[in-house]
Amino acid sequence: MQSSQRIAAIVGGSGDDGWSVHYRAHGLAAAGVPVTRLTVGDHDVKTDASILAAMQGAMTGDKLGYMPVSGIDPLKAAIAARVTAQGGPPVSTEEVVVTPGGQAALYCAAMAALDPGQSCIVLDPFYATYQQTVRAVSARPITVETRAEDGFQPDPDAIAAALAPDTRAILINTPNNPTGCVYTRERLEGIAALCQARDLWLISDEVYDRQIHHGAHLSPRVLPGMAERTMVVNSLSKSHAMTGSRIGWLVLPPRSAEHVVDLAIAMTYGIPGFIQEAGLYALTHGGEIEDGIRARYRRRRDQALQVLGSGNLVRAVPPAGGMYVMLDIRATGLTGIAFAEALLEQERIAVMPGESFGAAAAGHVRVALTVPDEELADALGRIVQFAGVVKAA
Ligand code: PMP
């Protein structure tokens, strides 16, 4: 039997989902080979014991039954308060849908914004699931490159030039994965003006909004006239080290939120109550936990820039936010893929090839700052040395 064309088309033409180095590193590690894995954005620090205690405490009585499909009221209220604190029109609980992670929120946003055959702007470099998410709803991603020389800031003029008659949405991500770019007010205002002039949705992925090293996060929802056309995606994965709990949210206008609940009824039928209680605890008592996580990545980011400052073959792109550093390895003459594959074979260090995030990240690799400080410093030092060896070869 054949699967539907729709599902078979999710990965797209090449059949490569961009994660092959990561999977290979995983396979090596499972076979007992020591590998430093700097591929995926999962924390070395585990979910805090106090959050787990809240989760365990909720694993009794009615918290093991079905939950309201859009999320439990106190959690939706806490999310509404958190998003309202960013500014702009206050968020009501009718505008909040709790989802199994930010990824599911992205999928729900794509389902709510795009009809089959329509198109969505995706800025390149992009988070590795974006194109698949758009294709999963039978829509078409249109990629618009952001340029290294422009600090990977989005260019509203370039986006305007790329719009097709069937474009219904623009998907953005600030702070950005993989580049670490924090979009400026000016660029976001340019995108907002475009959305209003062309009647487009703006899907705003803000999962790194609490991990700012430089500057400030601005949610485009707060800009005048944008709350009615912005869908804000966020989660507790990065901010509270809760990747495995799969808890996130989508904030969007009430009518569309109702439609997303219809979708959730057809798909998840809600999120486990004990996970939602843990999320509620994290949002209401987890300020110090969040600060600690932010500080950890800030420290490692600074450490990485220090180690890489001296290696001229490997140039770090200083990230303003997030949990990653992009390395420009073009001076070695290798592609990001060739560099990452050889680095894994020879040094047993796994990094993501830039090409996994789009053409604009070619000749780069992305390093996740997700191993203990000493291991990270050692791995970065070896990456610099390795670049010298492959350049000479
Ligand atoms: N958006 C971006 C930019 C991400 O980097 C990630 C996770 N790496 C996600 C969304 C999804 O995260 P989650 O589903 O764990 O919330």
Side-chain angles (χ1 to χ4, degrees), residues 94-95 97 108-109 111-113 201 228-231 250-263:
E94 285 75 46
E95 292 164 277
V97 184
C108 291
M111 277 291 276
W201 283 104
E228 66 208 56
R229 60 176 68 250
T230 304
M231 301 186 187
L250 185 60
V251 167
L252 73 176
R255 185 78 190 104
S256 299
E258 283 173 25
H259 290 141
V260 169
V261 175
D262 295 339
L263 173 63

mmCIF file with all atom_site columns, all heavy atoms in Angstrom, residues 94-95 97 108-109 111-113 201 228-231 250-263:
data_model
loop_
_atom_site.group_PDB
_atom_site.id
_atom_site.type_symbol
_atom_site.label_atom_id
_atom_site.label_alt_id
_atom_site.label_comp_id
_atom_site.label_asym_id
_atom_site.label_entity_id
_atom_site.label_seq_id
_atom_site.pdbx_PDB_ins_code
_atom_site.Cartn_x
_atom_site.Cartn_y
_atom_site.Cartn_z
_atom_site.occupancy
_atom_site.B_iso_or_equiv
_atom_site.pdbx_formal_charge
_atom_site.auth_seq_id
_atom_site.auth_comp_id
_atom_site.auth_asym_id
_atom_site.auth_atom_id
_atom_site.pdbx_PDB_model_num
ATOM 1   N N   . GLU A 1 94  ? -9.050  33.071 25.776 1.00 0.00 ? 94  GLU A N   1
ATOM 2   C CA  . GLU A 1 94  ? -9.663  32.563 24.523 1.00 0.00 ? 94  GLU A CA  1
ATOM 3   C C   . GLU A 1 94  ? -8.666  32.584 23.362 1.00 0.00 ? 94  GLU A C   1
ATOM 4   O O   . GLU A 1 94  ? -8.920  32.001 22.313 1.00 0.00 ? 94  GLU A O   1
ATOM 5   C CB  . GLU A 1 94  ? -10.871 33.410 24.094 1.00 0.00 ? 94  GLU A CB  1
ATOM 6   C CG  . GLU A 1 94  ? -12.128 33.183 24.902 1.00 0.00 ? 94  GLU A CG  1
ATOM 7   C CD  . GLU A 1 94  ? -12.046 33.828 26.270 1.00 0.00 ? 94  GLU A CD  1
ATOM 8   O OE1 . GLU A 1 94  ? -11.630 35.001 26.338 1.00 0.00 ? 94  GLU A OE1 1
ATOM 9   O OE2 . GLU A 1 94  ? -12.365 33.157 27.259 1.00 0.00 ? 94  GLU A OE2 1
ATOM 10  N N   . GLU A 1 95  ? -7.577  33.298 23.573 1.00 0.00 ? 95  GLU A N   1
ATOM 11  C CA  . GLU A 1 95  ? -6.571  33.385 22.498 1.00 0.00 ? 95  GLU A CA  1
ATOM 12  C C   . GLU A 1 95  ? -5.419  32.398 22.689 1.00 0.00 ? 95  GLU A C   1
ATOM 13  O O   . GLU A 1 95  ? -4.448  32.434 21.936 1.00 0.00 ? 95  GLU A O   1
ATOM 14  C CB  . GLU A 1 95  ? -6.008  34.811 22.440 1.00 0.00 ? 95  GLU A CB  1
ATOM 15  C CG  . GLU A 1 95  ? -7.029  35.837 21.974 1.00 0.00 ? 95  GLU A CG  1
ATOM 16  C CD  . GLU A 1 95  ? -6.595  37.257 22.289 1.00 0.00 ? 95  GLU A CD  1
ATOM 17  O OE1 . GLU A 1 95  ? -6.817  37.695 23.448 1.00 0.00 ? 95  GLU A OE1 1
ATOM 18  O OE2 . GLU A 1 95  ? -6.026  37.910 21.416 1.00 0.00 ? 95  GLU A OE2 1
ATOM 19  N N   . VAL A 1 97  ? -4.017  28.442 23.049 1.00 0.00 ? 97  VAL A N   1
ATOM 20  C CA  . VAL A 1 97  ? -4.209  26.993 22.925 1.00 0.00 ? 97  VAL A CA  1
ATOM 21  C C   . VAL A 1 97  ? -2.914  26.325 23.377 1.00 0.00 ? 97  VAL A C   1
ATOM 22  O O   . VAL A 1 97  ? -1.828  26.648 22.866 1.00 0.00 ? 97  VAL A O   1
ATOM 23  C CB  . VAL A 1 97  ? -4.533  26.556 21.471 1.00 0.00 ? 97  VAL A CB  1
ATOM 24  C CG1 . VAL A 1 97  ? -4.817  25.054 21.428 1.00 0.00 ? 97  VAL A CG1 1
ATOM 25  C CG2 . VAL A 1 97  ? -5.713  27.339 20.910 1.00 0.00 ? 97  VAL A CG2 1
ATOM 26  N N   . CYS A 1 108 ? -0.028  23.670 14.020 1.00 0.00 ? 108 CYS A N   1
ATOM 27  C CA  . CYS A 1 108 ? -1.383  24.226 14.169 1.00 0.00 ? 108 CYS A CA  1
ATOM 28  C C   . CYS A 1 108 ? -1.480  25.587 13.483 1.00 0.00 ? 108 CYS A C   1
ATOM 29  O O   . CYS A 1 108 ? -2.490  25.902 12.843 1.00 0.00 ? 108 CYS A O   1
ATOM 30  C CB  . CYS A 1 108 ? -1.743  24.376 15.649 1.00 0.00 ? 108 CYS A CB  1
ATOM 31  S SG  . CYS A 1 108 ? -1.979  22.811 16.497 1.00 0.00 ? 108 CYS A SG  1
ATOM 32  N N   . ALA A 1 109 ? -0.430  26.396 13.625 1.00 0.00 ? 109 ALA A N   1
ATOM 33  C CA  . ALA A 1 109 ? -0.423  27.726 12.994 1.00 0.00 ? 109 ALA A CA  1
ATOM 34  C C   . ALA A 1 109 ? -0.485  27.580 11.482 1.00 0.00 ? 109 ALA A C   1
ATOM 35  O O   . ALA A 1 109 ? -1.255  28.281 10.806 1.00 0.00 ? 109 ALA A O   1
ATOM 36  C CB  . ALA A 1 109 ? 0.821   28.505 13.419 1.00 0.00 ? 109 ALA A CB  1
ATOM 37  N N   . MET A 1 111 ? -1.668  25.067 9.806  1.00 0.00 ? 111 MET A N   1
ATOM 38  C CA  . MET A 1 111 ? -3.013  24.574 9.455  1.00 0.00 ? 111 MET A CA  1
ATOM 39  C C   . MET A 1 111 ? -4.039  25.698 9.484  1.00 0.00 ? 111 MET A C   1
ATOM 40  O O   . MET A 1 111 ? -4.954  25.753 8.665  1.00 0.00 ? 111 MET A O   1
ATOM 41  C CB  . MET A 1 111 ? -3.442  23.478 10.437 1.00 0.00 ? 111 MET A CB  1
ATOM 42  C CG  . MET A 1 111 ? -2.920  22.110 10.108 1.00 0.00 ? 111 MET A CG  1
ATOM 43  S SD  . MET A 1 111 ? -3.662  21.416 8.619  1.00 0.00 ? 111 MET A SD  1
ATOM 44  C CE  . MET A 1 111 ? -5.177  20.731 9.279  1.00 0.00 ? 111 MET A CE  1
ATOM 45  N N   . ALA A 1 112 ? -3.890  26.595 10.464 1.00 0.00 ? 112 ALA A N   1
ATOM 46  C CA  . ALA A 1 112 ? -4.872  27.673 10.615 1.00 0.00 ? 112 ALA A CA  1
ATOM 47  C C   . ALA A 1 112 ? -4.698  28.765 9.565  1.00 0.00 ? 112 ALA A C   1
ATOM 48  O O   . ALA A 1 112 ? -5.658  29.440 9.203  1.00 0.00 ? 112 ALA A O   1
ATOM 49  C CB  . ALA A 1 112 ? -4.769  28.272 12.019 1.00 0.00 ? 112 ALA A CB  1
ATOM 50  N N   . ALA A 1 113 ? -3.471  28.933 9.074  1.00 0.00 ? 113 ALA A N   1
ATOM 51  C CA  . ALA A 1 113 ? -3.201  30.068 8.175  1.00 0.00 ? 113 ALA A CA  1
ATOM 52  C C   . ALA A 1 113 ? -3.268  29.708 6.699  1.00 0.00 ? 113 ALA A C   1
ATOM 53  O O   . ALA A 1 113 ? -3.575  30.566 5.875  1.00 0.00 ? 113 ALA A O   1
ATOM 54  C CB  . ALA A 1 113 ? -1.816  30.647 8.493  1.00 0.00 ? 113 ALA A CB  1
ATOM 55  N N   . TRP A 1 201 ? -0.881  36.615 7.305  1.00 0.00 ? 201 TRP A N   1
ATOM 56  C CA  . TRP A 1 201 ? -0.609  36.199 8.678  1.00 0.00 ? 201 TRP A CA  1
ATOM 57  C C   . TRP A 1 201 ? 0.896   36.310 8.946  1.00 0.00 ? 201 TRP A C   1
ATOM 58  O O   . TRP A 1 201 ? 1.706   36.080 8.047  1.00 0.00 ? 201 TRP A O   1
ATOM 59  C CB  . TRP A 1 201 ? -0.994  34.734 8.869  1.00 0.00 ? 201 TRP A CB  1
ATOM 60  C CG  . TRP A 1 201 ? -2.443  34.451 9.003  1.00 0.00 ? 201 TRP A CG  1
ATOM 61  C CD1 . TRP A 1 201 ? -3.276  33.918 8.060  1.00 0.00 ? 201 TRP A CD1 1
ATOM 62  C CD2 . TRP A 1 201 ? -3.245  34.639 10.193 1.00 0.00 ? 201 TRP A CD2 1
ATOM 63  N NE1 . TRP A 1 201 ? -4.542  33.773 8.580  1.00 0.00 ? 201 TRP A NE1 1
ATOM 64  C CE2 . TRP A 1 201 ? -4.553  34.200 9.878  1.00 0.00 ? 201 TRP A CE2 1
ATOM 65  C CE3 . TRP A 1 201 ? -2.985  35.131 11.475 1.00 0.00 ? 201 TRP A CE3 1
ATOM 66  C CZ2 . TRP A 1 201 ? -5.593  34.238 10.814 1.00 0.00 ? 201 TRP A CZ2 1
ATOM 67  C CZ3 . TRP A 1 201 ? -4.017  35.172 12.388 1.00 0.00 ? 201 TRP A CZ3 1
ATOM 68  C CH2 . TRP A 1 201 ? -5.304  34.732 12.061 1.00 0.00 ? 201 TRP A CH2 1
ATOM 69  N N   . GLU A 1 228 ? -4.134  41.071 15.629 1.00 0.00 ? 228 GLU A N   1
ATOM 70  C CA  . GLU A 1 228 ? -5.210  40.382 14.904 1.00 0.00 ? 228 GLU A CA  1
ATOM 71  C C   . GLU A 1 228 ? -4.699  39.505 13.769 1.00 0.00 ? 228 GLU A C   1
ATOM 72  O O   . GLU A 1 228 ? -5.466  38.745 13.181 1.00 0.00 ? 228 GLU A O   1
ATOM 73  C CB  . GLU A 1 228 ? -6.193  41.424 14.361 1.00 0.00 ? 228 GLU A CB  1
ATOM 74  C CG  . GLU A 1 228 ? -5.581  42.309 13.301 1.00 0.00 ? 228 GLU A CG  1
ATOM 75  C CD  . GLU A 1 228 ? -6.227  43.690 13.256 1.00 0.00 ? 228 GLU A CD  1
ATOM 76  O OE1 . GLU A 1 228 ? -6.244  44.370 14.302 1.00 0.00 ? 228 GLU A OE1 1
ATOM 77  O OE2 . GLU A 1 228 ? -6.689  44.077 12.171 1.00 0.00 ? 228 GLU A OE2 1
ATOM 78  N N   . ARG A 1 229 ? -3.403  39.609 13.445 1.00 0.00 ? 229 ARG A N   1
ATOM 79  C CA  . ARG A 1 229 ? -2.886  38.792 12.341 1.00 0.00 ? 229 ARG A CA  1
ATOM 80  C C   . ARG A 1 229 ? -1.584  38.068 12.710 1.00 0.00 ? 229 ARG A C   1
ATOM 81  O O   . ARG A 1 229 ? -0.848  37.633 11.822 1.00 0.00 ? 229 ARG A O   1
ATOM 82  C CB  . ARG A 1 229 ? -2.708  39.632 11.069 1.00 0.00 ? 229 ARG A CB  1
ATOM 83  C CG  . ARG A 1 229 ? -1.758  40.796 11.211 1.00 0.00 ? 229 ARG A CG  1
ATOM 84  C CD  . ARG A 1 229 ? -1.549  41.520 9.895  1.00 0.00 ? 229 ARG A CD  1
ATOM 85  N NE  . ARG A 1 229 ? -2.747  42.215 9.444  1.00 0.00 ? 229 ARG A NE  1
ATOM 86  C CZ  . ARG A 1 229 ? -3.469  41.821 8.386  1.00 0.00 ? 229 ARG A CZ  1
ATOM 87  N NH1 . ARG A 1 229 ? -3.117  40.776 7.676  1.00 0.00 ? 229 ARG A NH1 1
ATOM 88  N NH2 . ARG A 1 229 ? -4.550  42.501 8.034  1.00 0.00 ? 229 ARG A NH2 1
ATOM 89  N N   . THR A 1 230 ? -1.288  38.012 13.998 1.00 0.00 ? 230 THR A N   1
ATOM 90  C CA  . THR A 1 230 ? -0.054  37.331 14.422 1.00 0.00 ? 230 THR A CA  1
ATOM 91  C C   . THR A 1 230 ? -0.411  36.066 15.185 1.00 0.00 ? 230 THR A C   1
ATOM 92  O O   . THR A 1 230 ? -1.346  36.056 15.992 1.00 0.00 ? 230 THR A O   1
ATOM 93  C CB  . THR A 1 230 ? 0.789   38.252 15.326 1.00 0.00 ? 230 THR A CB  1
ATOM 94  O OG1 . THR A 1 230 ? 1.053   39.469 14.624 1.00 0.00 ? 230 THR A OG1 1
ATOM 95  C CG2 . THR A 1 230 ? 2.122   37.596 15.696 1.00 0.00 ? 230 THR A CG2 1
ATOM 96  N N   . MET A 1 231 ? 0.336   35.010 14.926 1.00 0.00 ? 231 MET A N   1
ATOM 97  C CA  . MET A 1 231 ? 0.225   33.782 15.715 1.00 0.00 ? 231 MET A CA  1
ATOM 98  C C   . MET A 1 231 ? 1.561   33.602 16.417 1.00 0.00 ? 231 MET A C   1
ATOM 99  O O   . MET A 1 231 ? 2.593   33.458 15.761 1.00 0.00 ? 231 MET A O   1
ATOM 100 C CB  . MET A 1 231 ? -0.046  32.586 14.804 1.00 0.00 ? 231 MET A CB  1
ATOM 101 C CG  . MET A 1 231 ? -1.310  32.719 13.979 1.00 0.00 ? 231 MET A CG  1
ATOM 102 S SD  . MET A 1 231 ? -1.612  31.169 13.077 1.00 0.00 ? 231 MET A SD  1
ATOM 103 C CE  . MET A 1 231 ? -2.991  31.669 12.043 1.00 0.00 ? 231 MET A CE  1
ATOM 104 N N   . LEU A 1 250 ? 0.146   28.219 21.451 1.00 0.00 ? 250 LEU A N   1
ATOM 105 C CA  . LEU A 1 250 ? -0.084  29.106 20.322 1.00 0.00 ? 250 LEU A CA  1
ATOM 106 C C   . LEU A 1 250 ? -1.016  30.194 20.823 1.00 0.00 ? 250 LEU A C   1
ATOM 107 O O   . LEU A 1 250 ? -2.038  29.890 21.455 1.00 0.00 ? 250 LEU A O   1
ATOM 108 C CB  . LEU A 1 250 ? -0.740  28.291 19.194 1.00 0.00 ? 250 LEU A CB  1
ATOM 109 C CG  . LEU A 1 250 ? -0.970  28.990 17.865 1.00 0.00 ? 250 LEU A CG  1
ATOM 110 C CD1 . LEU A 1 250 ? 0.347   29.466 17.255 1.00 0.00 ? 250 LEU A CD1 1
ATOM 111 C CD2 . LEU A 1 250 ? -1.640  28.014 16.876 1.00 0.00 ? 250 LEU A CD2 1
ATOM 112 N N   . VAL A 1 251 ? -0.658  31.456 20.568 1.00 0.00 ? 251 VAL A N   1
ATOM 113 C CA  . VAL A 1 251 ? -1.539  32.587 20.887 1.00 0.00 ? 251 VAL A CA  1
ATOM 114 C C   . VAL A 1 251 ? -1.988  33.176 19.558 1.00 0.00 ? 251 VAL A C   1
ATOM 115 O O   . VAL A 1 251 ? -1.151  33.516 18.707 1.00 0.00 ? 251 VAL A O   1
ATOM 116 C CB  . VAL A 1 251 ? -0.804  33.631 21.754 1.00 0.00 ? 251 VAL A CB  1
ATOM 117 C CG1 . VAL A 1 251 ? -1.590  34.939 21.819 1.00 0.00 ? 251 VAL A CG1 1
ATOM 118 C CG2 . VAL A 1 251 ? -0.575  33.081 23.155 1.00 0.00 ? 251 VAL A CG2 1
ATOM 119 N N   . LEU A 1 252 ? -3.286  33.261 19.360 1.00 0.00 ? 252 LEU A N   1
ATOM 120 C CA  . LEU A 1 252 ? -3.826  33.751 18.089 1.00 0.00 ? 252 LEU A CA  1
ATOM 121 C C   . LEU A 1 252 ? -5.232  34.286 18.315 1.00 0.00 ? 252 LEU A C   1
ATOM 122 O O   . LEU A 1 252 ? -5.818  34.056 19.379 1.00 0.00 ? 252 LEU A O   1
ATOM 123 C CB  . LEU A 1 252 ? -3.797  32.651 17.030 1.00 0.00 ? 252 LEU A CB  1
ATOM 124 C CG  . LEU A 1 252 ? -4.768  31.483 17.071 1.00 0.00 ? 252 LEU A CG  1
ATOM 125 C CD1 . LEU A 1 252 ? -4.567  30.609 15.827 1.00 0.00 ? 252 LEU A CD1 1
ATOM 126 C CD2 . LEU A 1 252 ? -4.625  30.608 18.283 1.00 0.00 ? 252 LEU A CD2 1
ATOM 127 N N   . PRO A 1 253 ? -5.771  35.041 17.349 1.00 0.00 ? 253 PRO A N   1
ATOM 128 C CA  . PRO A 1 253 ? -7.091  35.635 17.549 1.00 0.00 ? 253 PRO A CA  1
ATOM 129 C C   . PRO A 1 253 ? -8.143  34.571 17.882 1.00 0.00 ? 253 PRO A C   1
ATOM 130 O O   . PRO A 1 253 ? -8.051  33.433 17.400 1.00 0.00 ? 253 PRO A O   1
ATOM 131 C CB  . PRO A 1 253 ? -7.384  36.303 16.200 1.00 0.00 ? 253 PRO A CB  1
ATOM 132 C CG  . PRO A 1 253 ? -6.027  36.583 15.629 1.00 0.00 ? 253 PRO A CG  1
ATOM 133 C CD  . PRO A 1 253 ? -5.165  35.442 16.064 1.00 0.00 ? 253 PRO A CD  1
ATOM 134 N N   . PRO A 1 254 ? -9.157  34.945 18.695 1.00 0.00 ? 254 PRO A N   1
ATOM 135 C CA  . PRO A 1 254 ? -10.079 33.951 19.260 1.00 0.00 ? 254 PRO A CA  1
ATOM 136 C C   . PRO A 1 254 ? -10.757 33.035 18.240 1.00 0.00 ? 254 PRO A C   1
ATOM 137 O O   . PRO A 1 254 ? -10.851 31.840 18.451 1.00 0.00 ? 254 PRO A O   1
ATOM 138 C CB  . PRO A 1 254 ? -11.126 34.815 19.983 1.00 0.00 ? 254 PRO A CB  1
ATOM 139 C CG  . PRO A 1 254 ? -10.466 36.124 20.219 1.00 0.00 ? 254 PRO A CG  1
ATOM 140 C CD  . PRO A 1 254 ? -9.435  36.311 19.157 1.00 0.00 ? 254 PRO A CD  1
ATOM 141 N N   . ARG A 1 255 ? -11.209 33.585 17.123 1.00 0.00 ? 255 ARG A N   1
ATOM 142 C CA  . ARG A 1 255 ? -11.928 32.751 16.133 1.00 0.00 ? 255 ARG A CA  1
ATOM 143 C C   . ARG A 1 255 ? -10.991 31.665 15.593 1.00 0.00 ? 255 ARG A C   1
ATOM 144 O O   . ARG A 1 255 ? -11.381 30.503 15.449 1.00 0.00 ? 255 ARG A O   1
ATOM 145 C CB  . ARG A 1 255 ? -12.436 33.656 14.998 1.00 0.00 ? 255 ARG A CB  1
ATOM 146 C CG  . ARG A 1 255 ? -13.290 32.961 13.989 1.00 0.00 ? 255 ARG A CG  1
ATOM 147 C CD  . ARG A 1 255 ? -14.717 32.738 14.502 1.00 0.00 ? 255 ARG A CD  1
ATOM 148 N NE  . ARG A 1 255 ? -15.456 31.849 13.593 1.00 0.00 ? 255 ARG A NE  1
ATOM 149 C CZ  . ARG A 1 255 ? -15.709 30.572 13.860 1.00 0.00 ? 255 ARG A CZ  1
ATOM 150 N NH1 . ARG A 1 255 ? -15.292 30.019 14.986 1.00 0.00 ? 255 ARG A NH1 1
ATOM 151 N NH2 . ARG A 1 255 ? -16.377 29.828 12.998 1.00 0.00 ? 255 ARG A NH2 1
ATOM 152 N N   . SER A 1 256 ? -9.766  32.063 15.306 1.00 0.00 ? 256 SER A N   1
ATOM 153 C CA  . SER A 1 256 ? -8.802  31.081 14.800 1.00 0.00 ? 256 SER A CA  1
ATOM 154 C C   . SER A 1 256 ? -8.409  30.103 15.899 1.00 0.00 ? 256 SER A C   1
ATOM 155 O O   . SER A 1 256 ? -8.150  28.923 15.623 1.00 0.00 ? 256 SER A O   1
ATOM 156 C CB  . SER A 1 256 ? -7.560  31.795 14.257 1.00 0.00 ? 256 SER A CB  1
ATOM 157 O OG  . SER A 1 256 ? -7.918  32.646 13.196 1.00 0.00 ? 256 SER A OG  1
ATOM 158 N N   . ALA A 1 257 ? -8.371  30.583 17.146 1.00 0.00 ? 257 ALA A N   1
ATOM 159 C CA  . ALA A 1 257 ? -8.058  29.677 18.263 1.00 0.00 ? 257 ALA A CA  1
ATOM 160 C C   . ALA A 1 257 ? -9.115  28.576 18.339 1.00 0.00 ? 257 ALA A C   1
ATOM 161 O O   . ALA A 1 257 ? -8.793  27.402 18.561 1.00 0.00 ? 257 ALA A O   1
ATOM 162 C CB  . ALA A 1 257 ? -7.978  30.455 19.569 1.00 0.00 ? 257 ALA A CB  1
ATOM 163 N N   . GLU A 1 258 ? -10.382 28.943 18.107 1.00 0.00 ? 258 GLU A N   1
ATOM 164 C CA  . GLU A 1 258 ? -11.448 27.916 18.109 1.00 0.00 ? 258 GLU A CA  1
ATOM 165 C C   . GLU A 1 258 ? -11.180 26.870 17.034 1.00 0.00 ? 258 GLU A C   1
ATOM 166 O O   . GLU A 1 258 ? -11.370 25.672 17.252 1.00 0.00 ? 258 GLU A O   1
ATOM 167 C CB  . GLU A 1 258 ? -12.818 28.563 17.828 1.00 0.00 ? 258 GLU A CB  1
ATOM 168 C CG  . GLU A 1 258 ? -13.399 29.298 19.024 1.00 0.00 ? 258 GLU A CG  1
ATOM 169 C CD  . GLU A 1 258 ? -14.668 30.062 18.644 1.00 0.00 ? 258 GLU A CD  1
ATOM 170 O OE1 . GLU A 1 258 ? -15.348 29.677 17.663 1.00 0.00 ? 258 GLU A OE1 1
ATOM 171 O OE2 . GLU A 1 258 ? -14.960 31.069 19.321 1.00 0.00 ? 258 GLU A OE2 1
ATOM 172 N N   . HIS A 1 259 ? -10.721 27.325 15.871 1.00 0.00 ? 259 HIS A N   1
ATOM 173 C CA  . HIS A 1 259 ? -10.431 26.372 14.791 1.00 0.00 ? 259 HIS A CA  1
ATOM 174 C C   . HIS A 1 259 ? -9.274  25.457 15.179 1.00 0.00 ? 259 HIS A C   1
ATOM 175 O O   . HIS A 1 259 ? -9.271  24.266 14.853 1.00 0.00 ? 259 HIS A O   1
ATOM 176 C CB  . HIS A 1 259 ? -10.097 27.127 13.494 1.00 0.00 ? 259 HIS A CB  1
ATOM 177 C CG  . HIS A 1 259 ? -11.277 27.820 12.906 1.00 0.00 ? 259 HIS A CG  1
ATOM 178 N ND1 . HIS A 1 259 ? -11.203 29.059 12.316 1.00 0.00 ? 259 HIS A ND1 1
ATOM 179 C CD2 . HIS A 1 259 ? -12.572 27.452 12.829 1.00 0.00 ? 259 HIS A CD2 1
ATOM 180 C CE1 . HIS A 1 259 ? -12.396 29.420 11.894 1.00 0.00 ? 259 HIS A CE1 1
ATOM 181 N NE2 . HIS A 1 259 ? -13.250 28.458 12.194 1.00 0.00 ? 259 HIS A NE2 1
ATOM 182 N N   . VAL A 1 260 ? -8.283  26.012 15.871 1.00 0.00 ? 260 VAL A N   1
ATOM 183 C CA  . VAL A 1 260 ? -7.147  25.186 16.292 1.00 0.00 ? 260 VAL A CA  1
ATOM 184 C C   . VAL A 1 260 ? -7.599  24.147 17.327 1.00 0.00 ? 260 VAL A C   1
ATOM 185 O O   . VAL A 1 260 ? -7.105  23.016 17.327 1.00 0.00 ? 260 VAL A O   1
ATOM 186 C CB  . VAL A 1 260 ? -5.989  26.074 16.813 1.00 0.00 ? 260 VAL A CB  1
ATOM 187 C CG1 . VAL A 1 260 ? -4.916  25.238 17.504 1.00 0.00 ? 260 VAL A CG1 1
ATOM 188 C CG2 . VAL A 1 260 ? -5.374  26.858 15.659 1.00 0.00 ? 260 VAL A CG2 1
ATOM 189 N N   . VAL A 1 261 ? -8.572  24.506 18.140 1.00 0.00 ? 261 VAL A N   1
ATOM 190 C CA  . VAL A 1 261 ? -9.121  23.525 19.085 1.00 0.00 ? 261 VAL A CA  1
ATOM 191 C C   . VAL A 1 261 ? -9.844  22.408 18.314 1.00 0.00 ? 261 VAL A C   1
ATOM 192 O O   . VAL A 1 261 ? -9.718  21.222 18.648 1.00 0.00 ? 261 VAL A O   1
ATOM 193 C CB  . VAL A 1 261 ? -10.042 24.200 20.124 1.00 0.00 ? 261 VAL A CB  1
ATOM 194 C CG1 . VAL A 1 261 ? -10.708 23.159 21.022 1.00 0.00 ? 261 VAL A CG1 1
ATOM 195 C CG2 . VAL A 1 261 ? -9.246  25.188 20.978 1.00 0.00 ? 261 VAL A CG2 1
ATOM 196 N N   . ASP A 1 262 ? -10.548 22.771 17.238 1.00 0.00 ? 262 ASP A N   1
ATOM 197 C CA  . ASP A 1 262 ? -11.166 21.731 16.387 1.00 0.00 ? 262 ASP A CA  1
ATOM 198 C C   . ASP A 1 262 ? -10.097 20.764 15.876 1.00 0.00 ? 262 ASP A C   1
ATOM 199 O O   . ASP A 1 262 ? -10.292 19.549 15.850 1.00 0.00 ? 262 ASP A O   1
ATOM 200 C CB  . ASP A 1 262 ? -11.877 22.355 15.171 1.00 0.00 ? 262 ASP A CB  1
ATOM 201 C CG  . ASP A 1 262 ? -13.073 23.213 15.578 1.00 0.00 ? 262 ASP A CG  1
ATOM 202 O OD1 . ASP A 1 262 ? -13.588 23.023 16.698 1.00 0.00 ? 262 ASP A OD1 1
ATOM 203 O OD2 . ASP A 1 262 ? -13.474 24.082 14.779 1.00 0.00 ? 262 ASP A OD2 1
ATOM 204 N N   . LEU A 1 263 ? -8.983  21.331 15.466 1.00 0.00 ? 263 LEU A N   1
ATOM 205 C CA  . LEU A 1 263 ? -7.877  20.498 14.971 1.00 0.00 ? 263 LEU A CA  1
ATOM 206 C C   . LEU A 1 263 ? -7.347  19.594 16.088 1.00 0.00 ? 263 LEU A C   1
ATOM 207 O O   . LEU A 1 263 ? -7.118  18.402 15.881 1.00 0.00 ? 263 LEU A O   1
ATOM 208 C CB  . LEU A 1 263 ? -6.755  21.403 14.438 1.00 0.00 ? 263 LEU A CB  1
ATOM 209 C CG  . LEU A 1 263 ? -5.453  20.731 14.031 1.00 0.00 ? 263 LEU A CG  1
ATOM 210 C CD1 . LEU A 1 263 ? -5.675  19.771 12.857 1.00 0.00 ? 263 LEU A CD1 1
ATOM 211 C CD2 . LEU A 1 263 ? -4.399  21.782 13.650 1.00 0.00 ? 263 LEU A CD2 1
#
